[in-house]
Amino acid sequence: MEFYLAQALPVLERTPVVLRTLLADLPSEWTDANEGPDTWSPFDVVGHLIQGERTDWIPRARIILEEGRSRAFEPFDRFAQFRDSEGKSLGDLLDAFERLRAESLATLRGWRLTDAHLALEGEHPAFGAVTLRQLLATWTAHDVSHVAQISRVMAKQYRDAVGPWRAYLPIMDR
Amino acid sequence: MEFYLAQALPVLERTPVVLRTLLADLPSEWTDANEGPDTWSPFDVVGHLIQGERTDWIPRARIILEEGRSRAFEPFDRFAQFRDSEGKSLGDLLDAFERLRAESLATLRGWRLTDAHLALEGEHPAFGAVTLRQLLATWTAHDVSHVAQISRVMAKQYRDAVGPWRAYLPIMDR
């Protein structure tokens, strides 16, 4: 599937509501559970998505638009959420993510990006040249990949409870 | 995590709304796409969940409650949705799933299940003895595993569009 902004936008718009629908006010047994040592809970993932709004997607898009490859992106901190989410409730994080995502999309729409903009390049610290189109496709895929992760983490909590049905649920051992 | 009905119910209740939020009115490039030959699109998965409401979860729970192990469950038809979803829109399927799930949960709540009920056994055609508790845990895990599947299928549509970021998105090659 090729990337078209008009097709990606409805996905990007929905993620905060999807996460709220999936997680808000659920028992913490679901939202604080993870897949084992050094893996993330749904709570951790929402914190990670907040970091993305703050430091990754729109900031990097802006660098591409304003400075092109002359300024490499800051490396993204995959662990910042463990510090920043401290003392917050999942409800706080869902609210913050919704607000930040709405701001991000308002900025994105305000740019009125053309195909020529989408072809502009930036400098990724590990990959070198990347296009704005690739960055926005990654933002979208990253959203749904984390919805998949959260749902997988939840499914795994019943790995033992399902008894013999585990054999029919490959997600349990993924 | 042990199975407690009170913890599973809010997950079972939300699935129709989660799917609606994730999928309703999205461009069909997202909802009709799959992971390759003999894999399912989001549209197919919603049809499969409808089959589960009709022929799997509550019907099997009822057999356990009324007949115990004396009557084996009917094998579940994993392909019935390809026939039954024909000619329907995704909106039709989301509406049907929401209605059927609400009916299922009304039935489930009406049973006022105790721990003694949850320990009752049924006869699975492949596994032999299974408990009502295991069936209900499987229902719940099955829901979130299919939310994970749908999100994964969506993420994969941008496998090429993300360019070099594919290296950071293991879901693309899962």
Side-chain angles (χ1 to χ4, degrees), chain B:
Chain B
M1 181 171 170
E2 270 190 81
F3 175 83
Y4 293 104
L5 189 52
Q7 286 176 350
L9 276 169
V11 176
L12 288 167
E13 265 170 354
R14 285 160 194 234
T15 307
V17 200
V18 170
L19 294 177
R20 190 180 290 285
T21 311
L22 195 57
L23 299 175
D25 305 315
L26 268 196
S28 61
E29 284 83 353
W30 290 116
T31 58
D32 288 346
N34 62 26
E35 297 171 283
D38 298 319
T39 64
W40 294 358
S41 66
F43 180 87
D44 298 331
V45 173
V46 179
H48 166 73
L49 291 167
I50 287 173
Q51 295 303 318
E53 297 309 296
R54 289 212 170 108
T55 69
D56 191 336
W57 312 111
I58 288 292
R60 288 181 171 190
R62 186 175 276 123
I63 291 173
I64 294 177
L65 290 170
E66 295 177 359
E67 306 180 69
R69 293 189 64 184
S70 67
R71 178 177 154 209
F73 307 147
E74 299 284 323
F76 180 74
D77 183 350
R78 289 182 66 254
F79 300 98
Q81 69 273 16
F82 295 108
R83 192 178 58 242
D84 283 12
S85 300
E86 223 175 87
K88 300 196 175 112
S89 71
L90 178 60
D92 294 337
L93 299 188
L94 291 167
D95 290 346
F97 179 55
E98 186 170 55
R99 195 182 62 247
L100 290 164
R101 173 58 57 92
E103 289 172 17
S104 297
L105 294 182
T107 301
L108 182 67
R109 288 180 200 279
W111 285 333
R112 302 182 174 279
L113 298 173
T114 62
D115 274 353
H117 289 122
L118 292 174
L120 291 173
E121 289 183 338
E123 182 72 13
H124 186 279
F127 304 139
V130 289
T131 64
L132 180 55
R133 184 187 299 277
Q134 289 167 341
L135 176 71
L136 300 178
T138 304
W139 187 9
T140 313
H142 181 266
D143 265 27
V144 278
S145 81
H146 282 297
V147 174
Q149 177 187 19
I150 286 172
S151 312
R152 184 186 71 227
V153 172
M154 290 174 69
K156 281 190 181 176
Q157 304 315 312
Y158 277 169
R159 188 159 41 190
D160 296 326
V162 299
W165 269 287
R166 182 165 169 176
Y168 287 179
L169 292 165
I171 198 169
M172 294 301 185
D173 298 287
R174 193 166 283 156

Side-chain angles (χ1 to χ4, degrees), chain A residues 7 9 22-23 71 75 78 93-94 99 101 121 131 144 147 151 155 166 170:
Chain A
Q7 287 176 351
L9 275 169
L22 194 58
L23 299 175
R71 178 177 152 207
R78 290 182 66 255
L93 298 189
L94 291 168
R99 194 182 64 247
R101 173 58 58 94
E121 289 184 338
T131 64
V144 279
V147 174
S151 312
R166 182 166 170 176

